[in-house]
Each structure stands twice: as structure tokens, then as C-alpha cells.
Amino acid sequence: SLCHIFRWDLLVGERYGIKAAVRAERRRLDEEEARRRHLLSGDTTHPLDALSQEGLSEEPVQQEKEAAGSGGGGVWEMVVAGGRKQQRRRKNSCKGRSRMASMDDDEDDDDETEGAEDDDNCGGGGGSERQREHPFIVTEPGEVARGKKNGLDYLFHLYEQCREFLIQVQNIAKERGEKCPTKVTNQVFRYAKKAGANYINKPKMRHYVHCYALHCLDEETSNVLRRAFKERGENVGAWRQACYKPLVAIASRQGWDIDAIFNAHPRLSIWYVPTKLRQLCHAERSSAASASCSSITGGGIDHLPF
């Protein structure tokens, strides 16, 4: 609130540090209030509870004395520093989890006004971290993954679930007279989380959306690719990268308009086109155009039909 009122420019760490300090100070005041009520009630029949209360009450007082003696600003600055340390630890742990979640670069296609998706990746500020799902392995069509693994049929089923959640969000928006989303946005992911589908999160769905697109546009090619990678023992990352090439070939046969291909399909029209797929189509189109130009100019004017 102070940042917006006084137009302060703070670093991200400072903002989170101030938030952590406010929460810690609020918890300290609540503990003091509870302790005061406990003392006023005169209930001293539990010596263990009394000792624990004394230990809690002496610690901030001692810290405040030490901070005042060293010229600091009291408990506030120490809480801010502690909050920053916690934030750094949380960021480091989130980086490790984000590598495992394999976030893609196609986040900018979504509605960036709804930027409250950090809780999907790092568990939010409440300290409760999202449980990671079992990793995926390359499976053939109809094959059930064994052990603590998930197959590709299950992955494609998650996209169908997202479509159902989008329909539910659209119905609710129509009943309330609100703006109705036409694609799977942050609002849909938040609704899925509230509905108990914690296994559906934005990074994972964005990461494999082109694989699902190949499954919808050319299921036969997708199945052949799955069988080939299963026989070679390749991992999901290699299979995911291999799914780009057939999609670029499909786009080349339809005028390189990958957005029109997505919008024309009933199951793909609700998904944003991945940025990397669009870039690959643009690069392939440019290389094909340059190759055709060089073939025409390389033969000379005498070889033209007219």
C-alpha cells in the first residue's frame, strides 16, 4: 500500500521482506495478546505451558535489547532480514522445482493481468508447498504406466479435464454476467485448484500443449512417434522435442498459419499457441522462402518459362 501511495520503487526481495516482517509482527502481537489473556485468567495449573510461554516472551525482548544496543532499529529490521532469508530459501527451492516442472517460454501468450500463479509453483506465502506429481514416461497408446509413473494417455486426459473446467468457468461467468473466457487462462487453473485438481497446473499444461496438439491433429503420427521413442527407451524430454517437427510439417502444408490451425480444431481452439512452435514455423517458412528464391535466381533468367 505504501508503494502505491508514495510511488516507492522497491526491489522484489524488499517487497517480500516487508510482507514477511508484517506477518511476523502480526503473529508476535497475537501471541502477546494470547499470553496476556492467559495470565489474566490465572490458569497456572500447567507448569510446562507456563515455561513455554516464558521462553517465547523472553526471546523477542532479548533480541530487541541486542538490536538497540548495536544501533539497529529493533525487532522490525531483524524480522525483515529474517523474512528476506526465508524468501531467498524459498526462491532457491522454487528454482529447483521449476527445473523439474520444466516451464516453457509461452507464458507471455496468457493474460498477464492475472499474475497470481506463483502459488501453483511454490506453494504461495502460506508455507504449504504443492505436492509434485509423479513423473511422466513415454508409453504406447493404451499402455498403463507401472509403478510411480504417469503415462502419456494420462497426460492427454489432463487436457480434456482442463476443457471441462473451462466449460464450468464459462457457465459460472454467464450466470453472473461476467466476462467469459474463451481459452484456458489463469482463472481456469485457479478454479481447477479450488475444485481439488491440484495435479493440474499452468507450467505443466503449457509445457506439453504442442504434444497434445499433435495428438489431436495427427493421432497416427503421434502414436508412431510414441512407439518409436518407447522402443528406444527415450525419456519424455526427447519425445517432447520430437513433437515439434510434425507440427511444423502440418503448418507448412496449410500456409504456415499455425494460429488458424489451432483455432479451427474444436479441442485446440481453447489453448494458446506455444511461442516456440510459432518461432519454429516462422524460421522454417523464412528458410523455405529463401531457398526458393535462391533456386529461381541461381538458374538465371534464361531458364524462366516466360
Side-chain angles (χ1 to χ4, degrees):
S1 300
L2 291 174
C3 292
H4 290 297
I5 293 173
F6 296 104
R7 308 260 195 251
W8 286 352
D9 293 331
L10 296 178
L11 298 175
V12 176
E14 291 177 340
R15 292 196 181 193
Y16 283 106
I18 290 174
K19 289 181 180 179
V22 170
R23 294 192 192 101
E25 184 69 13
R26 189 175 298 153
R27 284 196 298 269
R28 189 183 66 83
L29 293 176
D30 292 341
E31 289 175 358
E32 288 186 356
E33 182 66 23
R35 202 177 304 123
R36 191 178 298 110
R37 292 177 181 175
H38 178 72
L39 293 176
L40 290 176
S41 64
D43 187 9
T44 57
T45 57
H46 301 285
L48 198 59
D49 292 345
L51 287 174
S52 62
Q53 293 291 342
E54 289 176 4
L56 289 174
S57 62
E58 287 174 0
E59 186 176 357
V61 174
Q62 183 68 21
Q63 291 179 353
E64 187 174 2
K65 288 180 180 178
E66 293 175 0
S70 60
V75 182
W76 174 262
E77 293 176 349
M78 286 189 297
V79 169
V80 171
R84 288 177 182 172
K85 289 180 180 178
Q86 292 178 0
Q87 185 64 25
R88 274 196 294 270
R89 287 196 297 269
R90 191 179 295 114
K91 282 185 178 180
N92 292 334
S93 62
C94 288
K95 286 180 181 178
R97 287 194 299 275
S98 63
R99 293 193 193 99
M100 298 300 294
S102 303
M103 294 178 64
D104 206 354
D105 296 329
D106 48 1
E107 302 290 331
D108 50 350
D109 290 331
D110 205 344
D111 49 341
E112 295 298 335
T113 55
E114 302 180 25
E117 285 297 317
D118 292 337
D119 54 347
D120 284 346
N121 304 328
C122 302
S128 59
E129 297 180 355
R130 178 181 60 83
Q131 293 292 330
R132 287 188 65 249
E133 196 182 14
H134 299 311
F136 290 100
I137 60 172
V138 180
T139 56
E140 296 182 4
E143 179 187 359
V144 179
R146 300 181 181 276
K148 293 185 177 180
K149 304 287 184 179
N150 286 323
L152 299 183
D153 289 339
Y154 170 74
L155 173 64
F156 296 149
H157 176 67
L158 295 182
Y159 288 93
E160 301 298 333
Q161 281 190 303
C162 288
R163 182 171 175 270
E164 295 174 0
F165 283 125
L166 173 62
I167 295 174
Q168 296 177 19
V169 170
Q170 290 174 342
N171 294 334
I172 294 174
K174 290 177 182 178
E175 292 176 358
R176 297 178 179 176
E178 300 174 352
K179 183 179 178 180
C180 186
T182 58
K183 294 183 180 293
V184 179
T185 60
N186 295 337
Q187 184 181 0
V188 178
F189 291 116
R190 284 197 294 267
Y191 179 82
K193 187 175 182 179
K194 291 180 181 178
N198 295 324
Y199 48 87
I200 293 178
N201 60 83
K202 178 178 176 179
K204 180 171 59 182
M205 295 291 99
R206 292 279 184 263
H207 193 60
Y208 296 103
V209 67
H210 70 282
C211 304
Y212 176 68
L214 178 61
H215 173 72
C216 295
L217 294 172
D218 193 351
E219 188 173 355
E220 184 178 354
T221 302
S222 176
N223 293 341
V224 170
L225 198 66
R226 290 170 60 177
R227 291 190 183 97
F229 274 75
K230 170 69 185 304
E231 292 176 358
R232 294 202 300 263
E234 298 281 356
N235 58 12
V236 174
W239 167 78
R240 176 184 172 274
Q241 293 296 328
C243 289
Y244 282 112
K245 188 175 180 179
L247 287 174
V248 174
I250 293 174
S252 66
R253 296 192 296 266
Q254 301 188 26
W256 301 103
D257 195 352
I258 191 65
D259 292 275
I261 294 174
F262 267 63
N263 293 330
H265 199 279
R267 287 187 293 175
L268 291 180
S269 60
I270 62 174
W271 295 98
Y272 292 98
V273 178
T275 303
K276 186 175 180 180
L277 178 60
R278 187 181 285 112
Q279 291 172 349
L280 289 174
C281 291
H282 180 72
E284 192 70 19
R285 180 183 183 181
S286 300
S287 63
S290 61
S292 62
C293 290
S294 63
S295 63
I296 293 175
T297 57
I301 302 177
D302 297 334
H303 296 282
L304 292 176
F306 49 90

